[in-house]
Amino acid sequence: MALSGMRGLSVFISDIRNCQNKEQERLRVDKELGNVRTRFKNEKGLTPYEKKKYVWKMLYIYMLGYDVDFGHMEAVSLLSAPKYPEKQVGYIVTSCLLNENHDFLRIAINAVRNDIIGRNETFQCLALTLAGNIGGREFAESLAPDVQKLLISSSCRPLVRKKAALCLLRLYRKNPDVVNVDGWSDRMAQLLDERDMGVLTSSMSLLVSLVSNNHEAYWSCVPKCVKILERLARNQDVPQEYTYYGIPSPWLQVKTMRALQYFPTVEDPNTRRSLFEVLQRILMGTDVVKNVNKNNASHAVLFEALALVMHLDAEKEMMSQCVALLGKFIAVREPNIRYLGLENMTRMLMVAEVQDIIKRHQAQIITSLKDPDISIRRRALDLLYGMCDVSNAKDIVEELLQYLTTADFAMREELSLKAAILAEKFAPDLSWYVDVILQLIDKAGDFVSDDIWFRVVHFVTNNEDLQPYAALKAREYLDKPAIHETMVKVSAYLLGEYSHLLARRPGCSPKEIFNIIHEKLPTVSISTIAILLSTYAKILMHTQPPDRDLQSQIWAVFSKYESCIDAEIQQRAVEYHALSMKGAALMDILAEMPKFPERQSPLIKKAEDSEADTAEQSAIKLRAQQQNSNALVVTDQRPTNGAQPAGQLGLVKVPILSNADQSAAEIVSHANGALTVVDPQPPSTPSPDLLGDLLGPLAIEGPTGAAPASVASGLEGGVDADALAIAPIEEQANAVQPIGDIAERFHALCLKDSGVLYEDPYIQIGLKAEWGGHRGRVVLFLGNKITSPLNSVQALILPPSHLKMELSLVPETIPPRAQVQCPLEVMNLQPSRDIAVLDFSYKFGTQLVNVKLRLPAVLNKFLQPISVSAEEFFPQWRSLSGPPLKLQEVVRGVRPMPLAEMANLFNSLNLIVCPGLDPNPNNLVASTTFYSESTRAMLCLIRTETDPADRTQLRMTVASGDPTLTYELKEFVKEQLVNIPVPSRPPLAMPSHIQPTSPPPSAISDPGALLAGLL
Amino acid sequence: MGIRFVLMVNKQGQTRLAQYYEYLNIEERRTLEGEIVRKCLARNEQQCSFVEHRNYKVVYRRYASLFFLVGVDNEENELAILEFIHLLVETMDRHFGNVCELDIMFHLEKAHFMLEEMVMNGCIVETSKANILSPIQLMDKAA
């Protein structure tokens, strides 16, 4: 059992075979790799035979799944071995181990070329195969003309020409710009006259590749292809070696019919007639036989013929014949035929006139949904999905729902998404749609994505007639002993909005509704609790006249969650609690949600986006081609107030931004401080109070507020997307919410040089900066996060007068999931604290998003650390004797911090603290160099004197050689000290420049004698 | 472009031959082989010979202890590939006489030579057994 006499190799393989486990195998492989490596190192001693042996070992090890990152050179060197056995090994191993981008392959090009143009046929074949398997651009450049010559040479034998055809195919497909195929249409037609089946088989593949690129040039090949089919299928005119179980080369027949499908149609009537004759013969003449191989081969041809008939737009009669055949196939016992029957029937859906005939097989297809084979079940699901329309949606979707409970876990998510989409697209009436989705959640809650239940809420909100029904259904589900959390969410939401419509029914009083929902609360997660709280607030609002008992129950819940660890829950609880004491104002604030604007279903979009199985994609594409003729027939197309609130929102949003914080804060203080004073009885007249006015219009106008709580939190940037429930989808359509706090991001970037400047659901703007002297280079990274392009991208820099900024061109479109880089050159002309702004906008769909972002090209970026010794410091300090070069100020309202933290803050601003210069441990002395075009490099010195007894104030002295710089730097440092980096800046503690009438005690009792003396 | 890979795997899941027609690095190969083998080996005789996996369709056939797995894209005719596997097995049979797993293990190079004559760049080149085997015979003569 020696491998062509290579004993060492056989021993190695036996050893591997005898390994008991993977670990032993690894040890043996490592040992062998070590051995091969040492042998290759002293290459001089290796004979071609030895080299061959080791190279095979490498391939064997590679096949076992171990990386072999050496010895490539040895494999390549065998290509130029003089003897056939070594050369052959070199070629095969090289094409297994290397790929077209490998450097060693370049070395091989010459050896390959020599073999191709050489006289030895077997060598030619080896070289053509290698180039055909892994040849890259350089191969195409240097070999394509030679390969083309070989392919059409009359003196060349078929065994070389068949390889040349496929070699050319690869070179052309990889580099269509390098390989010149002008004038190849005639040559291709000639090649199809070839008698040799090997050359014909390869040439057919080459034709497919050429035609798929440009069919116009190859019309002359169509009759030739038909001739070949006639020769094979009708005349059976092939050598014995090429018949397979009595069938003339099924592979060539299949390939030829595939090639014909790349032409849009066959126009010439004679050719068309001959072709249909052959096809008819195949369709009619294929019988089921006992021999499996013969059966498979003949059916391979038959299925290809079916596909070609479909493609050629045959007469209806022939099409019906095809569907009838497929109908027979999907019911046979043989699983392969069943699978292919379903797959081809799905393709057949493209042909409009046979769709009704396909529907006749619906029952059989539904049976296949329960097939023991998952491959077949998937095909059946795809076909059902594709054939669904208004007429059969009810049956199909109900089947899918039924199947859901028994379906494999691997299929459930896909299944529920498909059921939801079909229900939405083809619902005969809306209440049925609601039923389907609720059943879906009930049966497969874990596999129902949020999008699905958001969508049902969307429909119910937009269709008034549906609301009582949906609320009633939700109520019914709540009676079930155990329900999925998603069901709790959707039921709670619907009942919060619409349960008052059920008030007169048994079991639907506000109290009963509250109790049954509240039962679920202990078992649900935080995000659901948020929805429940909103529901309670709504129930309370709808209870007219108020039910004291219910009120106190709900208030108890609110007050319990006011101390919840989750910020969103806490906020909702506090706000609802306070709001629910507002009485009639509550009615406005918690009013029913306005209608959603119409838009494409996120589900369908999701289905299109998902990178699912190929077959699945094909069905989705198919669906897209069929046009959504009936899509959303069920939705309310009336112009809702959708567009209006969007506009209003835009107006309201910006100016309120800072108010939102305040008003929220006021509510809290109101609730805490005035709790006992407020009359819990809802006053009959609307209270004219400021709060109600402030919040009222917000909640009414902004459809954003799924719950009033999200009014505030939504404006701040949506902390918890889950908890906001419905809100996020809505916001995407109306105004894009940034992710994270823009101001915080800016402040972070003031201290570091890379990070995220801005992010929303569609785009992320990152930033990376390098600073040196008075210049800086900032690179903006604009990253599209979604799968569709962002258009009309614009970035404008609004620089302050002291900065010169040049932004390179920003592309107008950012492709899906792409990131573009835009360098920005910055030059600092003079000292200033003004801040540059980036005015950035883009379009998502039709919606324009515009943000103005502060750029962190701030004063401290132009500072460079320098540490000075006492000998350097004091002369400088002394020479800068007083205003305007040296300014002193007492700063009050300083953020209290330990001295070490202040030192850190200084250092992070590049103001380097020089310890030991000031003998008083409560003082800090720092130095830095500032760079700008006007000042050049300039030394700046800072001294702060702090009072350990009162950390909220300090005295600061700043000195530099430039009056503007001194002033700006002093103000800048002051801002850093008093300002906590939060969006809303508290007013500065003191007006600048005013010396305190009475110096703080720290200044008086300053024991820093040395320094004080100098001052 | 038709055939993406040809794998021969025994029923313990050990790879006996692997030929790829598109480049995958070793890590990707290991993952792909693991996933596919797990899927295919778990199937029974009553199930069809096609398994959908990621963007491939795997056409497979079992001969005694050895599985032949061929990954194809949407451009291929599944039954034609299924019979192509059988043609490969018959060709090996003609050369080895009652081919078995050990023949392929210990004559890996011959298995590769045969496959190389049959498939190039993912397309079928030759289906005549005599033509496929002629280079091997040439080599045997030389040896």
Side-chain angles (χ1 to χ4, degrees), chain A residues 3-4 242 245 262 343, chain B residues 49 57 75 90 106 109 126:
Chain A
L3 192 125
S4 312
Y242 286 95
Y245 288 88
Y262 280 91
E343 184 179 50
Chain B
S49 312
K57 199 173 266 183
E75 296 302 303
E90 283 188 349
F106 286 96
E109 90 286 21
E126 186 56 80

Side-chain angles (χ1 to χ4, degrees), chain A residues 404-419:
Chain A
L404 198 55
T405 38
T406 53
D408 333 41
F409 283 94
M411 273 178 80
R412 284 195 191 181
E413 185 164 3
E414 184 191 336
L415 197 58
S416 35
L417 182 65
K418 284 187 168 163

Side-chain angles (χ1 to χ4, degrees), chain A residues 452 758 978:
Chain A
I452 294 179
Y758 171 79
V978 295

Side-chain angles (χ1 to χ4, degrees), chain A residues 42 123 249 287 327 495 528 727 819 911 965 967 996:
Chain A
N42 41 5
F123 291 3
S249 183
D287 296 320
L495 288 173
T528 310
Q819 191 186 57
L911 305 166
L965 174 58
Y967 174 72

Side-chain angles (χ1 to χ4, degrees), chain A residues 3-4 56 65 88 92 133 162 242 244-245 251 258 262 293 296 300 336 339 343 373 375 379, chain B residues 1 30 43 48-50 52 57 61 75 77-78 80 83 90 106 109 113 121 126 129 131 139:
Chain A
L3 192 125
S4 312
W56 269 119
Q88 189 180 26
I92 288 191
N133 279 330
K162 68 184 181 195
Y242 286 95
Y244 181 80
Y245 288 88
W251 300 284
R258 192 52 67 105
Y262 280 91
N293 302 108
N296 282 340
N336 287 338
Y339 173 94
E343 184 179 50
D373 182 352
S375 297
R379 287 298 110 237
Chain B
M1 56 163 280
R30 257 197 303 233
R43 292 169 64 83
C48 68
S49 312
F50 318 122
E52 292 161 25
K57 199 173 266 183
R61 213 161 171 164
E75 296 302 303
N77 180 309
E78 294 90 342
E83 284 318 298
E90 283 188 349
F106 286 96
E109 90 286 21
F113 295 156
N121 193 23
E126 186 56 80
K129 285 170 213 147
N131 288 349
M139 199 175 61

Side-chain angles (χ1 to χ4, degrees), chain A residues 545-591:
Chain A
D547 176 340
R548 292 286 193 115
D549 202 23
L550 179 64
Q551 200 170 45
S552 58
Q553 258 182 303
I554 291 180
W555 279 354
V557 177
F558 286 158
S559 52
K560 178 181 166 202
Y561 283 99
E562 273 170 10
S563 53
C564 177
I565 191 147
D566 182 88
E568 174 67 28
I569 301 283
Q570 194 182 70
Q571 187 173 10
R572 285 196 189 204
V574 166
E575 289 176 14
Y576 289 149
H577 200 166
L579 281 170
S580 60
M581 292 173 183
K582 297 251 53 94
L586 192 65
M587 301 288 267
D588 287 343
I589 298 163
L590 291 178

Side-chain angles (χ1 to χ4, degrees), chain A residues 241-263:
Chain A
E241 267 296 305
Y242 286 95
T243 40
Y244 181 80
Y245 288 88
I247 297 161
S249 183
W251 300 284
L252 181 55
Q253 290 196 50
V254 163
K255 199 61 161 188
T256 310
M257 288 192 272
R258 192 52 67 105
L260 284 169
Q261 290 171 54
Y262 280 91
F263 292 93

Side-chain angles (χ1 to χ4, degrees), chain B residues 44-61:
Chain B
N44 61 36
E45 294 288 315
Q46 279 79 52
Q47 297 179 317
C48 68
S49 312
F50 318 122
V51 172
E52 292 161 25
H53 182 74
R54 297 205 218 159
N55 50 347
Y56 300 107
K57 199 173 266 183
V58 179
V59 180
Y60 74 98
R61 213 161 171 164

